[in-house]
Amino acid sequence: MKTKILAGMVLAMSGTLNAAVVIVAHRGASEVAPENTLAAFRLAWEQGADAIEGDFYLTTDGQIVCIHDADTQRVAGKKLAVKESTLAELRKLDVGAWKDPKWAGTKIPTLDEVLAVVPKGKRIYIEIKGGVAMVPRLLEEIGKSGLASKQVTVISFDAEAI
């Protein structure tokens, strides 16, 4: 039996109520693997997800990293504010062991690493958590990824960022 990877359903509307159901793995296969990690995203693809959703912040050195919270306390056991940390500082943390010892050593991925694991024909929902300052870098990384525009959807609760 597949692990529950469905965190939400997105209806692809075509002007009518005829819709296709898209299975979106919220933070990857986060029920089984540590959320917002390459392991969770790869597992989501293996489990048949049509899309993944990840949360992204800008670091103090201009890198975009995939993590849900504004700090690392919940997933790493050490509190670093993501926007006040460098990528190198964040990469020293283990964000997998909290989920299960088998995930020990898992690191916070960068946006380009996450984009690189999106298969042809699959989609990614990028949730901007880091505000408008990350948008130029975000667009640059998406452009370099080689993904088709229909494979990438950007979402945010920050109207200015959108």
Side-chain angles (χ1 to χ4, degrees):
M1 183 168 109
K2 288 185 180 181
T3 302
K4 297 176 189 172
I5 60 170
L6 179 66
M9 289 188 287
V10 177
L11 296 179
M13 302 303 285
S14 62
T16 68
L17 290 180
N18 285 336
V21 174
V22 177
I23 298 173
V24 180
H26 185 246
R27 302 182 203 168
S30 57
E31 184 175 302
V32 177
E35 65 184 53
N36 278 320
T37 64
L38 295 178
F41 296 134
R42 288 183 177 121
L43 186 55
W45 302 129
E46 290 173 21
Q47 293 177 340
D50 299 308
I52 57 172
E53 178 272 346
D55 306 285
F56 295 87
Y57 281 91
L58 187 65
T59 64
T60 191
D61 57 345
Q63 300 298 309
I64 299 175
V65 293
C66 190
I67 184 169
H68 179 268
D69 301 344
D71 67 60
T72 59
Q73 181 65 47
R74 183 173 59 84
V75 295
K78 180 178 180 181
K79 188 173 184 174
L80 294 179
V82 177
K83 71 179 184 177
E84 296 170 4
S85 302
T86 65
L87 177 60
E89 291 169 329
L90 294 170
R91 293 280 205 172
K92 290 178 184 174
L93 302 175
D94 179 331
V95 296
W98 70 273
K99 187 72 172 175
D100 188 289
K102 74 179 180 181
W103 302 111
T106 301
K107 302 299 179 194
I108 295 172
T110 60
L111 173 63
D112 63 320
E113 291 171 331
V114 175
L115 294 174
V117 301
V118 178
K120 186 175 182 173
K122 301 291 186 169
R123 298 183 64 186
I124 180 170
Y125 289 82
I126 297 171
E127 183 170 343
I128 297 174
K129 302 278 256 190
V132 71
M134 74 184 291
V135 172
R137 177 70 189 235
L138 176 72
L139 295 174
E140 178 185 332
E141 291 296 323
I142 293 169
K144 289 189 324 188
S145 74
L147 295 175
S149 60
K150 67 182 180 180
Q151 289 182 270
V152 180
T153 301
V154 177
I155 60 176
S156 182
F157 289 100
D158 182 340
E160 186 180 359
I162 292 298

